[in-house]
Amino acid sequence: MNESGHQVLMEQDVLRRRLDDGDLPDWARKHYETFRETMLGDRDGAPFPCYFGIESERNGDALYTFVDSMTDKDALLALRDTILEYLDVYPDYSEACSLVAFFKPPTADLTEADYHEHLWHVLQFLHVNDPEPWPADIPTDPDDPKWEFSFGGEPMFPTTRAPFYDERISRYCPWGLEITFQPRALFDGITADTEAGQKAREVIQNRIEEYDGVCPHADLGDWGVEGDREWPQYMFSSDESQAPDECPIRITREHPKVPMAPADD
């Protein structure tokens, strides 16, 4: 953790020091500063809806990385390695340690459909290059209410922000794709079947209406609840005609999914 460069796992104080020293690309500075302002600022007096995200940024609980491309193999392999490192350290780092990944802005304007395609390309790439088997207790069918994206042997909830959100401002990021990876373990004690979880959802949904000025998205739901699905929540649609009707990822329990490099003699 905290190795030199920007496609690495970084603590908040290291990231901010590197920004102050000019050691990170300008696009990385814009990405992170916008993210921090969103988490800790307000919109017409309304705070960001997810108070867990606010506290995580305020307390320095999260870890961060930057990714040079949404499509380049080497950049996505670097992301894979960073996530594996994150999964190794997060349980001892903090009880609210998510991983925020900022992607280099594209060179041309992209449509909403493009961003959906890029998100699922990233997740499919990670799945195919996952060194660990798909968890035995997680279904492989995204249409199962207990399915969720898993990597490194851990179920997780990736949420995104992107430039195409005109109304749902809590999901808006002007610079490009942003993915926050949250292992399922971070939600222990605040799931939908707990009193604390129900209260948290009520507060967050009320704050969504205040912050965005629109009702919570129709796809907002809870893992494992019949009728709710995880995958549409990873990137909420703004224009349904540009969002996939079916989950684009293809999951297999076959392992390993790519040939392993030969061992050195």
mmCIF file with all atom_site columns, all heavy atoms in Angstrom, residues 81-106:
data_model
loop_
_atom_site.group_PDB
_atom_site.id
_atom_site.type_symbol
_atom_site.label_atom_id
_atom_site.label_alt_id
_atom_site.label_comp_id
_atom_site.label_asym_id
_atom_site.label_entity_id
_atom_site.label_seq_id
_atom_site.pdbx_PDB_ins_code
_atom_site.Cartn_x
_atom_site.Cartn_y
_atom_site.Cartn_z
_atom_site.occupancy
_atom_site.B_iso_or_equiv
_atom_site.pdbx_formal_charge
_atom_site.auth_seq_id
_atom_site.auth_comp_id
_atom_site.auth_asym_id
_atom_site.auth_atom_id
_atom_site.pdbx_PDB_model_num
ATOM 1   N N   . ASP A 1 81  ? -5.104  -6.060  -9.293  1.00 0.00 ? 81  ASP A N   1
ATOM 2   C CA  . ASP A 1 81  ? -4.121  -6.259  -8.230  1.00 0.00 ? 81  ASP A CA  1
ATOM 3   C C   . ASP A 1 81  ? -4.379  -5.327  -7.054  1.00 0.00 ? 81  ASP A C   1
ATOM 4   O O   . ASP A 1 81  ? -4.191  -5.704  -5.890  1.00 0.00 ? 81  ASP A O   1
ATOM 5   C CB  . ASP A 1 81  ? -2.711  -6.049  -8.781  1.00 0.00 ? 81  ASP A CB  1
ATOM 6   C CG  . ASP A 1 81  ? -2.320  -7.103  -9.809  1.00 0.00 ? 81  ASP A CG  1
ATOM 7   O OD1 . ASP A 1 81  ? -2.981  -8.166  -9.863  1.00 0.00 ? 81  ASP A OD1 1
ATOM 8   O OD2 . ASP A 1 81  ? -1.360  -6.858  -10.569 1.00 0.00 ? 81  ASP A OD2 1
ATOM 9   N N   . THR A 1 82  ? -4.829  -4.117  -7.354  1.00 0.00 ? 82  THR A N   1
ATOM 10  C CA  . THR A 1 82  ? -5.133  -3.165  -6.286  1.00 0.00 ? 82  THR A CA  1
ATOM 11  C C   . THR A 1 82  ? -6.318  -3.643  -5.455  1.00 0.00 ? 82  THR A C   1
ATOM 12  O O   . THR A 1 82  ? -6.306  -3.547  -4.216  1.00 0.00 ? 82  THR A O   1
ATOM 13  C CB  . THR A 1 82  ? -5.427  -1.777  -6.877  1.00 0.00 ? 82  THR A CB  1
ATOM 14  O OG1 . THR A 1 82  ? -4.269  -1.295  -7.561  1.00 0.00 ? 82  THR A OG1 1
ATOM 15  C CG2 . THR A 1 82  ? -5.810  -0.786  -5.782  1.00 0.00 ? 82  THR A CG2 1
ATOM 16  N N   . ILE A 1 83  ? -7.352  -4.165  -6.108  1.00 0.00 ? 83  ILE A N   1
ATOM 17  C CA  . ILE A 1 83  ? -8.508  -4.663  -5.364  1.00 0.00 ? 83  ILE A CA  1
ATOM 18  C C   . ILE A 1 83  ? -8.114  -5.852  -4.495  1.00 0.00 ? 83  ILE A C   1
ATOM 19  O O   . ILE A 1 83  ? -8.557  -5.970  -3.336  1.00 0.00 ? 83  ILE A O   1
ATOM 20  C CB  . ILE A 1 83  ? -9.653  -5.042  -6.320  1.00 0.00 ? 83  ILE A CB  1
ATOM 21  C CG1 . ILE A 1 83  ? -10.133 -3.820  -7.098  1.00 0.00 ? 83  ILE A CG1 1
ATOM 22  C CG2 . ILE A 1 83  ? -10.825 -5.640  -5.539  1.00 0.00 ? 83  ILE A CG2 1
ATOM 23  C CD1 . ILE A 1 83  ? -11.186 -4.133  -8.163  1.00 0.00 ? 83  ILE A CD1 1
ATOM 24  N N   . LEU A 1 84  ? -7.278  -6.736  -5.018  1.00 0.00 ? 84  LEU A N   1
ATOM 25  C CA  . LEU A 1 84  ? -6.825  -7.875  -4.217  1.00 0.00 ? 84  LEU A CA  1
ATOM 26  C C   . LEU A 1 84  ? -6.056  -7.407  -2.981  1.00 0.00 ? 84  LEU A C   1
ATOM 27  O O   . LEU A 1 84  ? -6.234  -7.948  -1.882  1.00 0.00 ? 84  LEU A O   1
ATOM 28  C CB  . LEU A 1 84  ? -5.948  -8.793  -5.076  1.00 0.00 ? 84  LEU A CB  1
ATOM 29  C CG  . LEU A 1 84  ? -6.680  -9.580  -6.167  1.00 0.00 ? 84  LEU A CG  1
ATOM 30  C CD1 . LEU A 1 84  ? -5.674  -10.279 -7.075  1.00 0.00 ? 84  LEU A CD1 1
ATOM 31  C CD2 . LEU A 1 84  ? -7.649  -10.592 -5.558  1.00 0.00 ? 84  LEU A CD2 1
ATOM 32  N N   . GLU A 1 85  ? -5.225  -6.397  -3.158  1.00 0.00 ? 85  GLU A N   1
ATOM 33  C CA  . GLU A 1 85  ? -4.499  -5.847  -2.013  1.00 0.00 ? 85  GLU A CA  1
ATOM 34  C C   . GLU A 1 85  ? -5.466  -5.219  -1.019  1.00 0.00 ? 85  GLU A C   1
ATOM 35  O O   . GLU A 1 85  ? -5.346  -5.401  0.200   1.00 0.00 ? 85  GLU A O   1
ATOM 36  C CB  . GLU A 1 85  ? -3.471  -4.815  -2.482  1.00 0.00 ? 85  GLU A CB  1
ATOM 37  C CG  . GLU A 1 85  ? -2.633  -4.246  -1.345  1.00 0.00 ? 85  GLU A CG  1
ATOM 38  C CD  . GLU A 1 85  ? -1.632  -3.197  -1.807  1.00 0.00 ? 85  GLU A CD  1
ATOM 39  O OE1 . GLU A 1 85  ? -1.657  -2.825  -2.996  1.00 0.00 ? 85  GLU A OE1 1
ATOM 40  O OE2 . GLU A 1 85  ? -0.837  -2.740  -0.958  1.00 0.00 ? 85  GLU A OE2 1
ATOM 41  N N   . TYR A 1 86  ? -6.436  -4.476  -1.547  1.00 0.00 ? 86  TYR A N   1
ATOM 42  C CA  . TYR A 1 86  ? -7.456  -3.868  -0.684  1.00 0.00 ? 86  TYR A CA  1
ATOM 43  C C   . TYR A 1 86  ? -8.202  -4.925  0.128   1.00 0.00 ? 86  TYR A C   1
ATOM 44  O O   . TYR A 1 86  ? -8.402  -4.766  1.346   1.00 0.00 ? 86  TYR A O   1
ATOM 45  C CB  . TYR A 1 86  ? -8.433  -3.069  -1.546  1.00 0.00 ? 86  TYR A CB  1
ATOM 46  C CG  . TYR A 1 86  ? -9.768  -2.811  -0.895  1.00 0.00 ? 86  TYR A CG  1
ATOM 47  C CD1 . TYR A 1 86  ? -9.905  -1.854  0.104   1.00 0.00 ? 86  TYR A CD1 1
ATOM 48  C CD2 . TYR A 1 86  ? -10.898 -3.541  -1.270  1.00 0.00 ? 86  TYR A CD2 1
ATOM 49  C CE1 . TYR A 1 86  ? -11.128 -1.634  0.723   1.00 0.00 ? 86  TYR A CE1 1
ATOM 50  C CE2 . TYR A 1 86  ? -12.117 -3.311  -0.676  1.00 0.00 ? 86  TYR A CE2 1
ATOM 51  C CZ  . TYR A 1 86  ? -12.233 -2.365  0.328   1.00 0.00 ? 86  TYR A CZ  1
ATOM 52  O OH  . TYR A 1 86  ? -13.445 -2.158  0.929   1.00 0.00 ? 86  TYR A OH  1
ATOM 53  N N   . LEU A 1 87  ? -8.604  -6.012  -0.523  1.00 0.00 ? 87  LEU A N   1
ATOM 54  C CA  . LEU A 1 87  ? -9.337  -7.073  0.176   1.00 0.00 ? 87  LEU A CA  1
ATOM 55  C C   . LEU A 1 87  ? -8.493  -7.692  1.274   1.00 0.00 ? 87  LEU A C   1
ATOM 56  O O   . LEU A 1 87  ? -9.019  -8.174  2.284   1.00 0.00 ? 87  LEU A O   1
ATOM 57  C CB  . LEU A 1 87  ? -9.793  -8.142  -0.810  1.00 0.00 ? 87  LEU A CB  1
ATOM 58  C CG  . LEU A 1 87  ? -10.883 -7.714  -1.802  1.00 0.00 ? 87  LEU A CG  1
ATOM 59  C CD1 . LEU A 1 87  ? -11.156 -8.830  -2.809  1.00 0.00 ? 87  LEU A CD1 1
ATOM 60  C CD2 . LEU A 1 87  ? -12.169 -7.329  -1.077  1.00 0.00 ? 87  LEU A CD2 1
ATOM 61  N N   . ASP A 1 88  ? -7.193  -7.662  1.099   1.00 0.00 ? 88  ASP A N   1
ATOM 62  C CA  . ASP A 1 88  ? -6.293  -8.223  2.113   1.00 0.00 ? 88  ASP A CA  1
ATOM 63  C C   . ASP A 1 88  ? -6.157  -7.319  3.329   1.00 0.00 ? 88  ASP A C   1
ATOM 64  O O   . ASP A 1 88  ? -6.013  -7.806  4.463   1.00 0.00 ? 88  ASP A O   1
ATOM 65  C CB  . ASP A 1 88  ? -4.923  -8.476  1.482   1.00 0.00 ? 88  ASP A CB  1
ATOM 66  C CG  . ASP A 1 88  ? -3.972  -9.183  2.429   1.00 0.00 ? 88  ASP A CG  1
ATOM 67  O OD1 . ASP A 1 88  ? -4.344  -10.256 2.953   1.00 0.00 ? 88  ASP A OD1 1
ATOM 68  O OD2 . ASP A 1 88  ? -2.853  -8.676  2.632   1.00 0.00 ? 88  ASP A OD2 1
ATOM 69  N N   . VAL A 1 89  ? -6.242  -5.984  3.112   1.00 0.00 ? 89  VAL A N   1
ATOM 70  C CA  . VAL A 1 89  ? -5.958  -5.066  4.222   1.00 0.00 ? 89  VAL A CA  1
ATOM 71  C C   . VAL A 1 89  ? -7.204  -4.440  4.854   1.00 0.00 ? 89  VAL A C   1
ATOM 72  O O   . VAL A 1 89  ? -7.151  -3.982  6.002   1.00 0.00 ? 89  VAL A O   1
ATOM 73  C CB  . VAL A 1 89  ? -4.991  -3.946  3.780   1.00 0.00 ? 89  VAL A CB  1
ATOM 74  C CG1 . VAL A 1 89  ? -3.712  -4.531  3.212   1.00 0.00 ? 89  VAL A CG1 1
ATOM 75  C CG2 . VAL A 1 89  ? -5.641  -3.008  2.778   1.00 0.00 ? 89  VAL A CG2 1
ATOM 76  N N   . TYR A 1 90  ? -8.337  -4.389  4.131   1.00 0.00 ? 90  TYR A N   1
ATOM 77  C CA  . TYR A 1 90  ? -9.453  -3.591  4.625   1.00 0.00 ? 90  TYR A CA  1
ATOM 78  C C   . TYR A 1 90  ? -10.016 -4.048  5.973   1.00 0.00 ? 90  TYR A C   1
ATOM 79  O O   . TYR A 1 90  ? -10.434 -3.205  6.785   1.00 0.00 ? 90  TYR A O   1
ATOM 80  C CB  . TYR A 1 90  ? -10.574 -3.496  3.577   1.00 0.00 ? 90  TYR A CB  1
ATOM 81  C CG  . TYR A 1 90  ? -11.620 -4.589  3.646   1.00 0.00 ? 90  TYR A CG  1
ATOM 82  C CD1 . TYR A 1 90  ? -12.728 -4.470  4.493   1.00 0.00 ? 90  TYR A CD1 1
ATOM 83  C CD2 . TYR A 1 90  ? -11.507 -5.744  2.883   1.00 0.00 ? 90  TYR A CD2 1
ATOM 84  C CE1 . TYR A 1 90  ? -13.677 -5.487  4.568   1.00 0.00 ? 90  TYR A CE1 1
ATOM 85  C CE2 . TYR A 1 90  ? -12.449 -6.745  2.950   1.00 0.00 ? 90  TYR A CE2 1
ATOM 86  C CZ  . TYR A 1 90  ? -13.536 -6.620  3.796   1.00 0.00 ? 90  TYR A CZ  1
ATOM 87  O OH  . TYR A 1 90  ? -14.473 -7.610  3.883   1.00 0.00 ? 90  TYR A OH  1
ATOM 88  N N   . PRO A 1 91  ? -10.055 -5.370  6.288   1.00 0.00 ? 91  PRO A N   1
ATOM 89  C CA  . PRO A 1 91  ? -10.660 -5.750  7.575   1.00 0.00 ? 91  PRO A CA  1
ATOM 90  C C   . PRO A 1 91  ? -9.941  -5.141  8.778   1.00 0.00 ? 91  PRO A C   1
ATOM 91  O O   . PRO A 1 91  ? -10.557 -4.893  9.817   1.00 0.00 ? 91  PRO A O   1
ATOM 92  C CB  . PRO A 1 91  ? -10.556 -7.281  7.577   1.00 0.00 ? 91  PRO A CB  1
ATOM 93  C CG  . PRO A 1 91  ? -10.477 -7.669  6.139   1.00 0.00 ? 91  PRO A CG  1
ATOM 94  C CD  . PRO A 1 91  ? -9.671  -6.577  5.508   1.00 0.00 ? 91  PRO A CD  1
ATOM 95  N N   . ASP A 1 92  ? -8.633  -4.913  8.649   1.00 0.00 ? 92  ASP A N   1
ATOM 96  C CA  . ASP A 1 92  ? -7.862  -4.356  9.761   1.00 0.00 ? 92  ASP A CA  1
ATOM 97  C C   . ASP A 1 92  ? -7.661  -2.848  9.639   1.00 0.00 ? 92  ASP A C   1
ATOM 98  O O   . ASP A 1 92  ? -7.070  -2.236  10.537  1.00 0.00 ? 92  ASP A O   1
ATOM 99  C CB  . ASP A 1 92  ? -6.487  -5.042  9.837   1.00 0.00 ? 92  ASP A CB  1
ATOM 100 C CG  . ASP A 1 92  ? -6.599  -6.534  10.103  1.00 0.00 ? 92  ASP A CG  1
ATOM 101 O OD1 . ASP A 1 92  ? -7.469  -6.921  10.903  1.00 0.00 ? 92  ASP A OD1 1
ATOM 102 O OD2 . ASP A 1 92  ? -5.823  -7.301  9.493   1.00 0.00 ? 92  ASP A OD2 1
ATOM 103 N N   . TYR A 1 93  ? -8.136  -2.260  8.534   1.00 0.00 ? 93  TYR A N   1
ATOM 104 C CA  . TYR A 1 93  ? -7.902  -0.832  8.322   1.00 0.00 ? 93  TYR A CA  1
ATOM 105 C C   . TYR A 1 93  ? -8.952  0.013   9.029   1.00 0.00 ? 93  TYR A C   1
ATOM 106 O O   . TYR A 1 93  ? -8.626  0.932   9.779   1.00 0.00 ? 93  TYR A O   1
ATOM 107 C CB  . TYR A 1 93  ? -7.874  -0.520  6.819   1.00 0.00 ? 93  TYR A CB  1
ATOM 108 C CG  . TYR A 1 93  ? -7.400  0.883   6.529   1.00 0.00 ? 93  TYR A CG  1
ATOM 109 C CD1 . TYR A 1 93  ? -6.044  1.190   6.564   1.00 0.00 ? 93  TYR A CD1 1
ATOM 110 C CD2 . TYR A 1 93  ? -8.300  1.902   6.224   1.00 0.00 ? 93  TYR A CD2 1
ATOM 111 C CE1 . TYR A 1 93  ? -5.593  2.474   6.309   1.00 0.00 ? 93  TYR A CE1 1
ATOM 112 C CE2 . TYR A 1 93  ? -7.852  3.185   5.974   1.00 0.00 ? 93  TYR A CE2 1
ATOM 113 C CZ  . TYR A 1 93  ? -6.503  3.464   6.017   1.00 0.00 ? 93  TYR A CZ  1
ATOM 114 O OH  . TYR A 1 93  ? -6.075  4.745   5.778   1.00 0.00 ? 93  TYR A OH  1
ATOM 115 N N   . SER A 1 94  ? -10.219 -0.253  8.762   1.00 0.00 ? 94  SER A N   1
ATOM 116 C CA  . SER A 1 94  ? -11.302 0.425   9.470   1.00 0.00 ? 94  SER A CA  1
ATOM 117 C C   . SER A 1 94  ? -12.594 -0.337  9.238   1.00 0.00 ? 94  SER A C   1
ATOM 118 O O   . SER A 1 94  ? -12.691 -1.145  8.308   1.00 0.00 ? 94  SER A O   1
ATOM 119 C CB  . SER A 1 94  ? -11.467 1.885   9.016   1.00 0.00 ? 94  SER A CB  1
ATOM 120 O OG  . SER A 1 94  ? -12.269 1.964   7.858   1.00 0.00 ? 94  SER A OG  1
ATOM 121 N N   . GLU A 1 95  ? -13.595 -0.080  10.066  1.00 0.00 ? 95  GLU A N   1
ATOM 122 C CA  . GLU A 1 95  ? -14.876 -0.766  9.932   1.00 0.00 ? 95  GLU A CA  1
ATOM 123 C C   . GLU A 1 95  ? -15.682 -0.231  8.753   1.00 0.00 ? 95  GLU A C   1
ATOM 124 O O   . GLU A 1 95  ? -16.705 -0.811  8.393   1.00 0.00 ? 95  GLU A O   1
ATOM 125 C CB  . GLU A 1 95  ? -15.687 -0.611  11.216  1.00 0.00 ? 95  GLU A CB  1
ATOM 126 C CG  . GLU A 1 95  ? -15.069 -1.313  12.426  1.00 0.00 ? 95  GLU A CG  1
ATOM 127 C CD  . GLU A 1 95  ? -15.906 -1.159  13.662  1.00 0.00 ? 95  GLU A CD  1
ATOM 128 O OE1 . GLU A 1 95  ? -16.900 -0.376  13.613  1.00 0.00 ? 95  GLU A OE1 1
ATOM 129 O OE2 . GLU A 1 95  ? -15.599 -1.804  14.675  1.00 0.00 ? 95  GLU A OE2 1
ATOM 130 N N   . ALA A 1 96  ? -15.235 0.870   8.162   1.00 0.00 ? 96  ALA A N   1
ATOM 131 C CA  . ALA A 1 96  ? -15.959 1.477   7.033   1.00 0.00 ? 96  ALA A CA  1
ATOM 132 C C   . ALA A 1 96  ? -15.025 1.706   5.859   1.00 0.00 ? 96  ALA A C   1
ATOM 133 O O   . ALA A 1 96  ? -15.086 2.733   5.195   1.00 0.00 ? 96  ALA A O   1
ATOM 134 C CB  . ALA A 1 96  ? -16.599 2.788   7.473   1.00 0.00 ? 96  ALA A CB  1
ATOM 135 N N   . CYS A 1 97  ? -14.163 0.724   5.597   1.00 0.00 ? 97  CYS A N   1
ATOM 136 C CA  . CYS A 1 97  ? -13.122 0.899   4.585   1.00 0.00 ? 97  CYS A CA  1
ATOM 137 C C   . CYS A 1 97  ? -13.596 0.436   3.223   1.00 0.00 ? 97  CYS A C   1
ATOM 138 O O   . CYS A 1 97  ? -13.484 -0.743  2.875   1.00 0.00 ? 97  CYS A O   1
ATOM 139 C CB  . CYS A 1 97  ? -11.863 0.142   4.998   1.00 0.00 ? 97  CYS A CB  1
ATOM 140 S SG  . CYS A 1 97  ? -10.510 0.344   3.826   1.00 0.00 ? 97  CYS A SG  1
ATOM 141 N N   . SER A 1 98  ? -14.115 1.349   2.433   1.00 0.00 ? 98  SER A N   1
ATOM 142 C CA  . SER A 1 98  ? -14.455 1.071   1.038   1.00 0.00 ? 98  SER A CA  1
ATOM 143 C C   . SER A 1 98  ? -13.249 1.412   0.161   1.00 0.00 ? 98  SER A C   1
ATOM 144 O O   . SER A 1 98  ? -12.278 2.022   0.623   1.00 0.00 ? 98  SER A O   1
ATOM 145 C CB  . SER A 1 98  ? -15.673 1.874   0.609   1.00 0.00 ? 98  SER A CB  1
ATOM 146 O OG  . SER A 1 98  ? -15.460 3.259   0.827   1.00 0.00 ? 98  SER A OG  1
ATOM 147 N N   . LEU A 1 99  ? -13.315 0.999   -1.098  1.00 0.00 ? 99  LEU A N   1
ATOM 148 C CA  . LEU A 1 99  ? -12.276 1.335   -2.071  1.00 0.00 ? 99  LEU A CA  1
ATOM 149 C C   . LEU A 1 99  ? -12.896 2.191   -3.162  1.00 0.00 ? 99  LEU A C   1
ATOM 150 O O   . LEU A 1 99  ? -13.838 1.757   -3.839  1.00 0.00 ? 99  LEU A O   1
ATOM 151 C CB  . LEU A 1 99  ? -11.672 0.075   -2.692  1.00 0.00 ? 99  LEU A CB  1
ATOM 152 C CG  . LEU A 1 99  ? -10.742 0.294   -3.895  1.00 0.00 ? 99  LEU A CG  1
ATOM 153 C CD1 . LEU A 1 99  ? -9.511  1.106   -3.499  1.00 0.00 ? 99  LEU A CD1 1
ATOM 154 C CD2 . LEU A 1 99  ? -10.332 -1.035  -4.519  1.00 0.00 ? 99  LEU A CD2 1
ATOM 155 N N   . VAL A 1 100 ? -12.382 3.400   -3.356  1.00 0.00 ? 100 VAL A N   1
ATOM 156 C CA  . VAL A 1 100 ? -12.883 4.302   -4.385  1.00 0.00 ? 100 VAL A CA  1
ATOM 157 C C   . VAL A 1 100 ? -11.894 4.309   -5.545  1.00 0.00 ? 100 VAL A C   1
ATOM 158 O O   . VAL A 1 100 ? -10.719 4.630   -5.370  1.00 0.00 ? 100 VAL A O   1
ATOM 159 C CB  . VAL A 1 100 ? -13.075 5.732   -3.850  1.00 0.00 ? 100 VAL A CB  1
ATOM 160 C CG1 . VAL A 1 100 ? -13.734 6.609   -4.909  1.00 0.00 ? 100 VAL A CG1 1
ATOM 161 C CG2 . VAL A 1 100 ? -13.895 5.727   -2.563  1.00 0.00 ? 100 VAL A CG2 1
ATOM 162 N N   . ALA A 1 101 ? -12.388 3.928   -6.736  1.00 0.00 ? 101 ALA A N   1
ATOM 163 C CA  . ALA A 1 101 ? -11.546 3.871   -7.937  1.00 0.00 ? 101 ALA A CA  1
ATOM 164 C C   . ALA A 1 101 ? -11.985 4.959   -8.909  1.00 0.00 ? 101 ALA A C   1
ATOM 165 O O   . ALA A 1 101 ? -13.144 4.998   -9.328  1.00 0.00 ? 101 ALA A O   1
ATOM 166 C CB  . ALA A 1 101 ? -11.649 2.503   -8.600  1.00 0.00 ? 101 ALA A CB  1
ATOM 167 N N   . PHE A 1 102 ? -11.054 5.837   -9.272  1.00 0.00 ? 102 PHE A N   1
ATOM 168 C CA  . PHE A 1 102 ? -11.312 6.924   -10.207 1.00 0.00 ? 102 PHE A CA  1
ATOM 169 C C   . PHE A 1 102 ? -10.674 6.574   -11.556 1.00 0.00 ? 102 PHE A C   1
ATOM 170 O O   . PHE A 1 102 ? -9.479  6.294   -11.618 1.00 0.00 ? 102 PHE A O   1
ATOM 171 C CB  . PHE A 1 102 ? -10.714 8.235   -9.697  1.00 0.00 ? 102 PHE A CB  1
ATOM 172 C CG  . PHE A 1 102 ? -11.174 8.645   -8.324  1.00 0.00 ? 102 PHE A CG  1
ATOM 173 C CD1 . PHE A 1 102 ? -10.397 8.394   -7.200  1.00 0.00 ? 102 PHE A CD1 1
ATOM 174 C CD2 . PHE A 1 102 ? -12.391 9.297   -8.145  1.00 0.00 ? 102 PHE A CD2 1
ATOM 175 C CE1 . PHE A 1 102 ? -10.808 8.779   -5.932  1.00 0.00 ? 102 PHE A CE1 1
ATOM 176 C CE2 . PHE A 1 102 ? -12.810 9.699   -6.885  1.00 0.00 ? 102 PHE A CE2 1
ATOM 177 C CZ  . PHE A 1 102 ? -12.025 9.438   -5.777  1.00 0.00 ? 102 PHE A CZ  1
ATOM 178 N N   . PHE A 1 103 ? -11.458 6.635   -12.626 1.00 0.00 ? 103 PHE A N   1
ATOM 179 C CA  . PHE A 1 103 ? -10.966 6.278   -13.946 1.00 0.00 ? 103 PHE A CA  1
ATOM 180 C C   . PHE A 1 103 ? -10.601 7.537   -14.741 1.00 0.00 ? 103 PHE A C   1
ATOM 181 O O   . PHE A 1 103 ? -11.294 8.554   -14.669 1.00 0.00 ? 103 PHE A O   1
ATOM 182 C CB  . PHE A 1 103 ? -12.014 5.472   -14.708 1.00 0.00 ? 103 PHE A CB  1
ATOM 183 C CG  . PHE A 1 103 ? -12.188 4.071   -14.182 1.00 0.00 ? 103 PHE A CG  1
ATOM 184 C CD1 . PHE A 1 103 ? -12.871 3.832   -12.999 1.00 0.00 ? 103 PHE A CD1 1
ATOM 185 C CD2 . PHE A 1 103 ? -11.645 2.991   -14.866 1.00 0.00 ? 103 PHE A CD2 1
ATOM 186 C CE1 . PHE A 1 103 ? -13.027 2.544   -12.507 1.00 0.00 ? 103 PHE A CE1 1
ATOM 187 C CE2 . PHE A 1 103 ? -11.799 1.699   -14.388 1.00 0.00 ? 103 PHE A CE2 1
ATOM 188 C CZ  . PHE A 1 103 ? -12.487 1.476   -13.194 1.00 0.00 ? 103 PHE A CZ  1
ATOM 189 N N   . LYS A 1 104 ? -9.533  7.429   -15.511 1.00 0.00 ? 104 LYS A N   1
ATOM 190 C CA  . LYS A 1 104 ? -9.092  8.545   -16.345 1.00 0.00 ? 104 LYS A CA  1
ATOM 191 C C   . LYS A 1 104 ? -10.210 8.974   -17.281 1.00 0.00 ? 104 LYS A C   1
ATOM 192 O O   . LYS A 1 104 ? -10.869 8.131   -17.902 1.00 0.00 ? 104 LYS A O   1
ATOM 193 C CB  . LYS A 1 104 ? -7.870  8.132   -17.160 1.00 0.00 ? 104 LYS A CB  1
ATOM 194 C CG  . LYS A 1 104 ? -7.237  9.264   -17.953 1.00 0.00 ? 104 LYS A CG  1
ATOM 195 C CD  . LYS A 1 104 ? -5.969  8.790   -18.651 1.00 0.00 ? 104 LYS A CD  1
ATOM 196 C CE  . LYS A 1 104 ? -5.304  9.936   -19.413 1.00 0.00 ? 104 LYS A CE  1
ATOM 197 N NZ  . LYS A 1 104 ? -4.034  9.494   -20.049 1.00 0.00 ? 104 LYS A NZ  1
ATOM 198 N N   . PRO A 1 105 ? -10.474 10.263  -17.396 1.00 0.00 ? 105 PRO A N   1
ATOM 199 C CA  . PRO A 1 105 ? -11.555 10.732  -18.266 1.00 0.00 ? 105 PRO A CA  1
ATOM 200 C C   . PRO A 1 105 ? -11.345 10.292  -19.712 1.00 0.00 ? 105 PRO A C   1
ATOM 201 O O   . PRO A 1 105 ? -10.212 10.255  -20.210 1.00 0.00 ? 105 PRO A O   1
ATOM 202 C CB  . PRO A 1 105 ? -11.473 12.262  -18.135 1.00 0.00 ? 105 PRO A CB  1
ATOM 203 C CG  . PRO A 1 105 ? -10.793 12.502  -16.827 1.00 0.00 ? 105 PRO A CG  1
ATOM 204 C CD  . PRO A 1 105 ? -9.827  11.366  -16.662 1.00 0.00 ? 105 PRO A CD  1
ATOM 205 N N   . PRO A 1 106 ? -12.422 9.959   -20.409 1.00 0.00 ? 106 PRO A N   1
ATOM 206 C CA  . PRO A 1 106 ? -12.305 9.569   -21.817 1.00 0.00 ? 106 PRO A CA  1
ATOM 207 C C   . PRO A 1 106 ? -11.917 10.772  -22.670 1.00 0.00 ? 106 PRO A C   1
ATOM 208 O O   . PRO A 1 106 ? -12.138 11.930  -22.289 1.00 0.00 ? 106 PRO A O   1
ATOM 209 C CB  . PRO A 1 106 ? -13.710 9.068   -22.162 1.00 0.00 ? 106 PRO A CB  1
ATOM 210 C CG  . PRO A 1 106 ? -14.610 9.790   -21.199 1.00 0.00 ? 106 PRO A CG  1
ATOM 211 C CD  . PRO A 1 106 ? -13.820 9.931   -19.937 1.00 0.00 ? 106 PRO A CD  1
#
